[in-house]
Amino acid sequence: MPDGPDSPAGAGPDADPESVARAICLRLLTMAPKTRAQLADALRKRDVPEEAAEAVLSRFSELGLINDEAFAEAWVDSRHHGRGLARRALAAELRHRGVDNDTVKEAVERLDPDQEAETARRLVDRKLAATRSLDPQTRTRRLAGMLARKGYSSGLAYRVIREALEEEGIDLETDFP
């Protein structure tokens, strides 16, 4: 809903800054969950005074409308299962959204290393058929690149790729000069 002349966010200079901040935050939160830092940034861009912004953000946090811990947990679950992102990529995305390092660390540590490896295997299996016409070295490079872009370590990527290719009867140790 755009900020029109009848909405508090579209009111003139006489509008109560806290009402403006509340309207902005509520509108943004109805679109999608946001971190406290994202909301603070939006309020800064709209020239909401610092004191009014802090008061509204604190109140929204007390009410549970802003909860960076819950946001981080949901983000990790959603992006890992939906996009196959690894811990490193998930942590970078959360930091980019203004989640503090302790909360990021706690959220990504909930991701089981075995589950992360299984997700990497599924990603490789999905891409494997499309690379069958290529030589093992090129296949490995492409698959490793795909996993690297999703935040997987080179060690895990190579192990998962080697296992997948060995299931096809390709031994990377002897096939690579």
Side-chain angles (χ1 to χ4, degrees), residues 11-12 28 37-38 49 60 65 87 92 95 108 112-113 124-126 133 137 153 160 162:
L28 291 172
Q38 288 174 311
F60 276 33
L65 294 172
R87 291 175 185 212
R95 283 190 199 96
V108 296
D112 180 26
V124 166
D125 288 345
R126 223 183 296 156
S133 63
Q137 204 168 13
S153 70
V160 167
R162 188 184 71 239

Side-chain angles (χ1 to χ4, degrees), residues 13-140:
D14 298 334
D16 171 36
E18 285 191 29
S19 294
V20 172
R22 266 193 302 278
I24 292 169
C25 288
L26 286 171
R27 184 173 43 78
L28 291 172
L29 287 169
T30 57
M31 290 190 280
K34 302 277 185 222
T35 65
R36 184 182 177 108
Q38 288 174 311
L39 293 171
D41 190 43
L43 295 175
R44 240 186 325 279
K45 287 179 182 172
R46 290 295 208 54
D47 297 322
V48 172
E50 188 75 28
E51 311 79 49
E54 185 54 40
V56 169
L57 293 173
S58 293
R59 182 66 180 144
F60 276 33
S61 292
E62 286 171 21
L63 295 172
L65 294 172
I66 303 171
N67 183 335
D68 284 357
E69 290 82 10
F71 177 92
E73 285 180 24
W75 188 266
V76 166
D77 288 343
S78 168
R79 301 287 281 181
H80 177 73
H81 295 296
R83 303 253 339 261
L85 298 182
R87 291 175 185 212
R88 185 173 38 183
L90 293 165
E93 286 187 349
L94 288 170
R95 283 190 199 96
H96 178 72
R97 282 160 180 72
V99 178
D100 70 86
N101 284 332
D102 290 340
T103 304
V104 168
K105 186 178 178 191
E106 197 173 295
V108 296
E109 282 180 352
R110 291 180 61 242
L111 196 57
D112 180 26
D114 293 336
Q115 181 184 12
E116 193 175 34
E118 185 53 40
T119 301
R121 278 186 201 91
R122 276 199 317 273
L123 290 168
V124 166
D125 288 345
R126 223 183 296 156
K127 273 277 209 227
L128 214 50
T131 65
R132 284 217 171 86
S133 63
L134 304 171
D135 65 274
Q137 204 168 13
T138 304
R139 291 177 85 184
T140 301

